Structures are given as C-alpha cells and as structure tokens.
Amino acid sequence: MTVYLRSLETAVPPTVLIQTEAREVFAAQPGLTRLGTRLVGTCFDSAAIDTRYTAVAELTKDHRAENPQFFDAATGLLLRPSTKVRNDIFATEATKLFIEAAQNALDACPGITSPDITHLVTVSCTGFFNPGPDYKIVRALGLNPAVQRYHLGFMGCYAAFPALRAAKSFCEADPSAVVLVVCAELCSLHVRTSNDPDTIMGSALFADGAAAAIVTAREFPDERALLRLDHFETVLTPVGEESMAWNIGDEGFEMVLGNYVPHIIDDHIIGALEPLLSREASLRGLPYREIRHWAIHPGGRSILDKVQSRLDLSDEQLVPARETLRNYGNMSSATVLFVLRHILDLPPADGDDGGDERICSMAFGPGLTVETALFTRISSTRDGGPTPVSGDEATRPAQPESALA
C-alpha cells in the first residue's frame, strides 16, 4: 500500500534572535571565566546561524517586563528561572505553536477537513503538560473527539521520524486513516549562562519552531501529494551514549552535546544508511550518490560538514540543511521537517523530465541514535505533466522586522 504525505507546513514564534546580538549578551554575563568568554564567541560565531526564533518574548531588546524571568533588559543580565517556571511557559506557548502548525497543515490540504483526521501524533522533548498538546489540538481544530491520539515525548532531534513511521503504519493498517503529525519544540526555554562547553553550545544553537504534516493512503484524484513515504530505519551506533543526552535539571533541561559527536557520525553514517537503502529492491546496488535530495537534520555546522564530506555530497545538496540552520537554528524534532519543506519548495532541477525524485533524510539524537528515511518527491501530475513543487508561501513563517537580543 502506498502512503503519502499530502501537506507539510511550519510555524515559528514571533520573536527573532539575531545571533550576533545574542552572542554579545551571553559574552557579557558575570561569572564567565576567560575561557568561558572565549567559548561563547567561538560557539556563536562558528554556528553558521544568522537568526533564530524564541517564544520568550522578554528577550526582545525593547521589552521591559515588570518582573523579568529570563532576561532583565535594564541590566543585561540573563536570569535563572526554575524548571517549573520554564515548563509553565512551555504549556502556554507550545500550545500556540502546536495549534498554528496543525491548522496550517490542514489548510494546505483542501481535500481533507477536520472530521477526516483519524489519528493524531504529537512530538516534543522540551516540556510536559497534561491534558497535553494532542488534547489542545483536538479542541482547537474541532477534530473528532474519538480521534486516536499519541504523544512522543523526550526523544530528541530525531523524533519526527518515529512519528512519520507510526503514521505510515496506521495508514497501512487502515487504508481510510488520515494522520496528523505535529512537532513543536521550545528549546530556547532551556538556555542559560554557564562556563560549561555543552551549555554554551546549546545556547548558540537551539531555537523554537513547529512543523505539521498530513499523512494518508487515501486517493484524491484532484490533489497532488507531496511525498511518498517509502522506508524508515533506526540504527544505534556502537558508541556515543554519553556524547549526546537530554537531562532534567533544577534550572531547565540540560543538554549534553560532546564535541566527539561529529566524529561518531563520520565513522558510522555509511553503515547507518545500509539498512535503509537495502530495503527496496529498486535501490539495491544503487550508490547513495545517485540520490538527488538530502534532508539532513542540521544538528550543528560541524555535523553537516562531516555528513557532506563522508557521503561526498555537493554544496547544492546541503543547501536545504544549511539554510534551515542559518535562518532558524536547531529546533530539535521540527528541524528536519523544515529541511524537507525547503526541498519541496525547490523548482525541478534543470533538465528534469517531470519524473519523481528521491529524497534521503536523516536525523541524529541521544543514544547515539541515527534515524533515516527514504521519500519520493512527487514532481508530476497523474497524467505525467510537470507541475510546480512549491508550497503556499502564505503559510511560511516570515522574518519579523524587529531585532532582538
């Protein structure tokens, strides 16, 4: 049975962080050692990020909160809110992003309405509350109250793949199923000042965002699908358990991102791809170099550099990942869906004959876990004529005009 992704839309909060301004704030914090100050400059400048988005509105330069919790603009001091304070903000602000992204995905799929949704899968690793985001989406979008709801929590940056894999399984088990998948992460809730290299790196990389997709095997003669969901695979590398982790502390969640992670990926990425590409008979013996599009989770610039070097990918093939990193930062589970959206918005390549195009995608997370997926971009109509592949630009997140610290 063929399962399709019929819409893929994104959302970001309204507050934008300018990387250079954020670097200045973090570098000016009291308590930093001389080494810590140097690390702040190095991490922020080498992250290959220009802008990121945050749900913490008080990080705005012009914002003057009466009782600031994260950032006191009057003194320039970053504050240390408790995990409870951070999680309370998550419950409020993440709900907005979950609902916005879900509504965008539904609006972009005119053949499907709210009552058609049979399954809902939500994803986040940056906060907890119950009734959770799945409940909030059902109420806000007017979904059937009997919709089957699932939440994937605290898995990390690779969690969009288990969510899409579950959606595919639901559709294969029930051909009438229509699955709404929504990932939303507020990573910026957990940034803090520190001399710890992992904490500094997290402050330089992580951001907030959401993405949602509708997956179904139903046929819609008048509507073209975006992607065919072909295969998913999971691989645990033999090393790396201590190199990437996500722990709960008293002052927010604490990231562990060792500088050895890019080397682990460099050593094991070829082996991680083998189970994926060997699943489909048509790809057996086909070098991965013949796959046109690569949707790589931009966990950081050095990770992308290692992936590109090891797989011998061209600069052009890394543009979707690098541009996502540059414009949005690392939004954990939602990020790879932004990369896929970027690929879907690309025009057909020169000389394209209207045929379908392969996409190989991968993300990395705690464990060290490597999730991989193979998709087919549907770049032609049913009668074989080529059609544009871009999405509705009205639903794309626009750059706010204000500059924030």
Side-chain angles (χ1 to χ4, degrees):
M1 178 178 297
T2 305
V3 180
Y4 295 101
L5 187 147
R6 304 204 71 89
S7 69
L8 176 58
E9 299 299 318
T10 61
V12 292
T15 301
V16 64
L17 293 173
I18 306 300
Q19 185 78 344
T20 53
E21 295 177 356
R23 178 201 63 208
E24 293 171 4
V25 169
F26 276 84
Q29 296 307 301
L32 283 179
T33 63
R34 185 176 300 178
L35 175 59
T37 301
R38 289 203 302 268
L39 284 173
V40 168
T42 299
C43 290
F44 276 76
D45 290 344
S46 64
I49 295 171
D50 291 339
T51 55
R52 294 177 282 165
Y53 293 81
T54 176
V56 184
E58 69 183 48
L59 292 179
T60 310
K61 274 185 174 180
D62 299 330
H63 189 89
R64 292 294 186 270
E66 185 175 344
N67 296 299
Q69 296 175 305
F70 284 81
F71 178 63
D72 186 346
T75 63
L77 292 178
L78 290 165
L79 308 178
R80 305 182 75 91
S82 68
T83 300
K84 182 183 185 307
V85 168
R86 298 173 197 259
N87 196 68
D88 286 347
I89 294 173
F90 175 85
T92 300
E93 298 300 326
T95 294
K96 298 175 185 177
L97 274 186
F98 271 109
I99 292 171
E100 181 182 352
Q103 187 66 65
N104 288 347
L106 198 60
D107 291 344
C109 201
I112 293 174
T113 61
S114 294
D116 293 316
I117 304 298
T118 60
H119 299 71
L120 171 62
V121 183
T122 54
V123 178
S124 188
C125 69
T126 49
F128 304 93
F129 62 97
N130 200 8
D134 51 321
Y135 172 91
K136 299 293 187 180
I137 291 171
V138 169
R139 293 305 192 198
L141 271 62
L143 304 186
N144 187 331
V147 65
Q148 296 185 34
R149 296 157 29 217
Y150 305 85
H151 181 71
L152 301 183
F154 221 61
M155 295 186 77
C157 294
Y158 63 82
F161 289 94
L164 290 175
R165 183 169 57 237
K168 184 174 186 286
S169 296
F170 295 149
C171 294
E172 289 171 338
D174 178 4
S176 66
V178 178
V179 187
L180 174 60
V181 175
V182 193
C183 302
E185 305 284 9
L186 302 190
C187 304
S188 71
L189 289 178
H190 303 291
V191 301
R192 64 180 66 78
T193 181
S194 174
N195 287 297
D196 177 70
D198 287 351
T199 303
I200 293 172
M201 180 61 71
S203 299
L205 283 176
F206 282 103
D208 305 347
I214 290 179
V215 177
T216 185
R218 289 189 189 181
E219 291 289 339
F220 294 87
D222 298 328
E223 297 294 333
R224 178 178 55 83
L226 300 179
L227 295 174
R228 187 177 72 223
L229 305 187
D230 296 323
H231 298 308
F232 296 89
E233 290 289 341
T234 301
V235 171
L236 295 179
T237 61
V239 295
E241 181 177 351
E242 305 300 325
S243 297
M244 188 183 292
W246 190 227
N247 303 314
I248 299 178
D250 292 335
E251 296 177 348
F253 298 171
E254 300 170 351
M255 184 199 70
V256 176
L257 184 60
N259 57 16
Y260 194 61
V261 169
H263 300 284
I264 297 172
I265 293 172
D266 187 33
D267 290 341
H268 298 285
I269 190 170
I270 297 294
L273 280 172
E274 289 178 358
L276 179 78
L277 299 185
S278 64
R279 280 286 303 273
E280 189 173 359
S282 63
L283 283 183
R284 285 177 183 163
L286 178 65
Y288 56 78
R289 294 177 180 84
E290 295 188 21
I291 296 175
R292 174 178 294 175
H293 300 293
W294 290 80
I296 310 299
H297 168 68
R301 193 202 68 183
S302 59
I303 289 176
L304 293 179
D305 289 346
K306 288 294 185 182
V307 171
Q308 180 174 4
S309 174
R310 175 59 68 181
L311 298 181
D312 195 24
L313 302 178
S314 68
D315 290 343
E316 182 180 7
Q317 288 173 305
L318 265 291
V319 165
R322 293 194 189 277
E323 286 299 302
T324 297
L325 182 64
R326 184 173 303 281
N327 295 326
Y328 299 101
N330 184 341
M331 301 166 285
S332 192
S333 67
T335 320
V336 74
L337 299 180
F338 276 68
V339 179
L340 279 170
R341 183 66 260 182
H342 189 293
I343 291 173
L344 290 171
D345 286 340
L346 293 173
D350 292 341
D352 185 75
D353 61 0
D356 299 333
E357 305 170 18
R358 291 286 187 178
I359 301 173
C360 187
S361 186
M362 62 182 66
F364 320 97
L368 186 85
T369 302
V370 182
E371 287 277 351
T372 58
L374 189 65
F375 306 116
T376 300
R377 180 192 190 200
I378 311 300
S379 55
S380 63
T381 59
R382 293 180 183 275
D383 63 4
T387 59
V389 191
S390 61
D392 182 0
E393 292 301 324
T395 64
R396 300 283 168 271
Q399 289 261 357
E401 295 181 356
S402 59
L404 314 174

